[in-house]
């Protein structure tokens, strides 16, 4: 069947697709550099120390999302919503207030983690080191601010300034520094690698801020606008925070849980398998970086036909890429995992199970972004969170007997059910079909009055 694309949609999709390809180029470079970083670290560390690094990075990632207070998603929506309505000053204030909230929350969470770990070790002495918890604390604020700055700049139309410092330069600097130190006989521990990561990322954030100011983007934190902003948007920020925290927890809690319930060596194996499986969603994620503000803009302007076309493009392109990568993992997964070291090749089944769950993620398209950008963040948090929480409980029950394979199977099942549920919500309650079948909904989509 041949689809005829109207000229107005053709221009829109052409622009979105080319920007998505640019985003994909950055993300593919990011994935390659990230993979290289993990290979370098796993090859220059013992399995135990690499497990400490993997555990600390997963913990820092979850806490960084908590530190962001929902602001990365909020600014993508609010900048488009306010500028479409002609309220540029309120859009600017939203960026400034979001930066303040991220910084204050990041500092608070880092301090709280250090205090909690210090008191725990004093009251309940442990045989292993607790330094990887302190290393994670150093990384929380830089990771949270990097995510927020990226979203704020993308909302304003930037792509390269938003992504290159964190996604490219940081991921070049980290393995280069590790290899340079290793060449002179300095072998990093897991906590050392976490602190080094934090220091280098902080440097990249300073570079990004300088470049953003030079290009006249709004990024500076301003305390004076924060109170009013929170009074107006604190409600949705809390739900966006919960939604982002649930999604990030679903991607990282497994590593932490495996480390706590089994051992740090298993945590490292699961970490490598999950990070490898995540390569499947590269194009989906790259597309979402571009289309999030576009969907917000067209939805709030009442242009449902354009919003549906963008969602359909995202799901089709993302699934095609994910399917090809899944086939590669199924056939050559052991060889791919062996790059981390011979001991990690046994994670093939874990890789395949996790990849299958992410394949369903791609098939249901940008459902999360659609819900977040259209004011349904509460429903997303409740639906996705409830289903993934059940999956987490199942993991706790089966990890002692089925190990990392059981953890992966539970994650896969929960993700499939959750993605199908939120895609169905988008179709029935929002009026946008985010799945592979969304292409058939473009012609029937009806525009409405702007919000």
């Amino acid at each position: 069947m041949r689809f005829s694309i109207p000229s107005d949609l053709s221009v829109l999709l052409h622009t979105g697709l080319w920007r998505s390809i640019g985003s994909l180029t950055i993300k593919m470079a990011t994935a390659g550099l990230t993979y290289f970083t993990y290979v370098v670290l796993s090859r220059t560390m013992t399995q135990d120390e690499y497990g400490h690094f993997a555990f600390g990075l997963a913990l820092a990632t979850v806490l960084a999302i908590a530190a962001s207070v929902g602001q990365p998603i909020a600014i993508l929506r609010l900048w488009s919503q306010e500028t479409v309505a002609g309220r540029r000053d309120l859009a600017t204030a939203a960026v400034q207030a979001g930066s303040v909230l991220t910084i204050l929350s990041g500092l608070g969470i880092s301090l709280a983690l250090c205090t909690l770990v210090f008191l725990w070790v004093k009251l309940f002495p442990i045989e292993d080191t607790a330094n990887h918890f302190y290393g994670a604390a150093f990384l929380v604020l830089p990771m949270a601010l990097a995510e927020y700055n990226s979203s704020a700049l993308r909302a304003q139309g930037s792509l390269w300034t938003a992504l290159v410092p964190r996604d490219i330069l940081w991921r070049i600097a980290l393995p280069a520094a590790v290899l340079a130190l290793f060449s002179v006989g300095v072998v990093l521990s897991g906590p050392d690698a976490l602190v080094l990561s934090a220091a280098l990322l902080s440097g990249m954030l300073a570079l990004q801020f300088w470049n953003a100011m030079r290009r006249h983007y709004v990024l500076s934190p301003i305390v004076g606008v924060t109170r009013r902003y929170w009074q107006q948007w604190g409600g949705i920020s809390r739900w966006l925070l919960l939604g982002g925290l649930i999604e990030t927890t679903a991607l990282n809690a497994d590593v932490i849980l495996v480390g706590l319930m089994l051992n740090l060596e298993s945590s490292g194996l699961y970490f490598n398998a999950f990070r490898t499986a995540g390569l499947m969603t590269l194009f989906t994620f790259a597309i979402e970086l571009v289309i999030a503000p576009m969907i917000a803009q067209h939805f709030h302007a009442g242009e449902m036909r354009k919003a549906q076309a963008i969602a359909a493009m995202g799901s089709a392109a993302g699934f095609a890429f994910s399917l090809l990568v899944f086939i590669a993992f199924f056939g050559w997964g052991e060889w791919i995992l062996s790059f981390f070291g011979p001991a990690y090749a046994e994670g093939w089944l874990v890789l395949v199970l996790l990849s299958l769950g992410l394949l369903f993620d791609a098939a249901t398209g940008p459902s999360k972004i659609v819900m977040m950008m259209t004011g349904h963040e509460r429903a997303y948090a409740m639906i996705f969170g409830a289903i993934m929480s059940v999956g987490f409980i199942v993991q706790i029950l089966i990890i002692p007997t089925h190990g990392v394979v059981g953890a992966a199977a539970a994650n896969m099942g929960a993700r499939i059910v959750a993605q199908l549920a939120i895609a169905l919500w988008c179709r029935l309650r929002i009026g946008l079909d985010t799945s592979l079948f969304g292409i058939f909904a473009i012609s029937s989509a009806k525009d409405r009055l702007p919000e």
Side-chain angles (χ1 to χ4, degrees):
M1 180 182 295
R2 185 176 181 273
F3 292 94
S4 178
I5 302 177
S7 58
D8 62 330
L9 293 186
S10 177
V11 173
L12 178 70
L13 296 179
H14 182 271
T15 302
L17 183 60
W18 276 110
R19 292 200 71 205
S20 296
I21 290 175
S23 179
L24 175 63
T25 301
I26 296 175
K27 285 302 173 183
M28 287 186 69
T30 301
L33 291 169
T34 301
Y35 209 75
F36 178 67
T37 299
Y38 296 152
V39 169
V40 167
L41 288 168
S42 65
R43 290 284 187 171
T44 57
M45 293 178 177
T46 64
Q47 273 190 268
D48 181 62
E49 287 300 335
Y50 184 71
H52 282 91
F53 170 79
F55 182 96
L57 181 61
L59 179 61
T61 302
V62 173
L63 294 179
I65 293 300
S68 69
V69 204
Q71 298 312 300
I73 297 295
I75 196 57
L76 286 172
R77 170 178 158 187
L78 295 177
W79 180 272
S80 296
Q81 183 174 321
E82 299 291 12
T83 52
V84 164
R87 299 187 291 263
R88 172 80 184 208
D89 57 330
L90 295 182
T92 299
V95 174
Q96 297 166 337
S99 183
V100 172
L101 290 170
T102 302
I103 292 171
L104 294 179
S105 181
L107 290 172
I109 288 177
S110 295
L111 181 61
L113 176 61
C114 290
T115 303
L116 179 62
V117 172
F118 178 79
L119 293 175
W120 182 271
V121 172
K122 286 292 184 181
L123 296 174
F124 308 99
I126 58 177
E127 296 180 3
D128 195 10
T129 178
N131 287 340
H132 51 299
F133 287 98
Y134 295 120
F138 275 99
L139 196 50
V140 170
L141 177 56
M143 291 186 75
L145 197 56
E147 184 65 24
Y148 177 75
N149 286 355
S150 174
S151 293
L153 290 169
R154 284 188 286 115
Q156 297 172 64
S158 168
L159 186 63
W160 298 96
T161 304
L163 299 180
V164 169
R166 178 190 64 173
D167 289 3
I168 302 298
L169 299 181
W170 178 47
R171 286 174 168 84
I172 291 175
L174 180 55
V178 172
L179 288 174
L181 291 170
F182 188 74
S183 68
V184 296
V186 178
V187 179
L188 297 179
S189 66
D192 291 338
L194 292 168
V195 173
L196 177 62
S197 298
L200 293 173
L201 182 54
S202 298
M204 297 307 157
L205 287 174
L207 176 63
Q208 182 186 55
F209 185 82
W210 170 80
N211 195 34
M213 294 300 98
R214 188 172 64 88
R215 296 175 180 273
H216 306 292
Y217 291 116
V218 179
L219 204 58
S220 300
I222 302 294
V223 176
V225 299
T226 306
R227 180 184 295 274
R228 178 182 175 185
Y229 168 83
W230 189 255
Q231 289 173 345
Q232 184 176 6
W233 300 112
I236 71 162
S237 293
R238 284 188 286 269
W239 284 107
L240 291 171
L241 165 62
L242 183 58
L245 191 59
I246 290 169
E247 174 65 18
T248 304
T249 300
L251 294 172
N252 294 276
D254 302 18
V255 177
I256 300 171
L257 195 60
V258 168
L260 292 174
M261 298 188 70
L262 296 177
N263 51 65
L264 288 173
E265 289 84 354
S266 297
S267 182
L269 185 148
Y270 195 93
F271 176 85
N272 286 340
F274 213 150
R275 289 299 185 271
T276 302
L279 297 176
M280 286 181 55
T281 61
L282 270 180
F283 202 15
T284 298
F285 184 54
I287 290 172
E288 288 180 351
L289 291 178
V290 172
I291 69 173
M294 295 174 70
I295 286 177
Q297 175 186 344
H298 293 300
F299 178 83
H300 292 291
E303 299 167 342
M304 297 296 288
R305 184 164 153 270
K306 290 183 177 180
Q308 178 60 63
I310 294 169
M313 177 200 72
S315 59
F319 180 76
F321 181 90
S322 296
L323 181 60
L324 291 175
V325 179
F326 176 78
I327 293 171
F329 287 164
F330 189 85
W332 299 281
E334 289 187 11
W335 176 72
I336 294 171
L337 290 174
S338 69
F339 287 139
F340 294 102
Y344 297 103
E346 63 187 59
W348 175 83
L349 182 55
V350 175
L351 172 62
V352 170
L353 292 172
L354 294 172
S355 297
L356 188 58
L358 292 174
L359 186 62
F360 272 82
D361 196 329
T364 53
S367 50
K368 170 196 169 185
I369 288 298
V370 166
M371 294 186 76
M372 294 292 193
M373 294 297 103
T374 59
H376 293 80
E377 59 281 339
R378 180 173 181 174
Y380 171 79
M382 294 177 67
I383 296 171
F384 194 82
I387 296 172
M388 296 307 293
S389 295
V390 172
F392 189 69
I393 293 171
V394 172
Q395 285 182 319
I396 293 174
L397 295 175
I398 68 176
I399 283 177
T401 55
H402 294 84
V404 291
V405 174
N411 181 284
M412 176 195 70
R415 182 164 291 274
I416 290 173
V417 174
Q419 289 298 142
L420 291 174
I422 61 175
L424 186 62
W425 177 277
C426 289
R427 183 71 182 94
L428 298 178
R429 301 299 295 272
I430 303 175
L432 295 176
D433 190 339
T434 64
S435 73
L436 289 173
F437 301 105
I439 190 172
F440 300 107
I442 296 175
S443 59
S444 61
K446 303 295 182 183
D447 290 346
R448 52 172 175 72
L449 293 176
E451 293 188 346

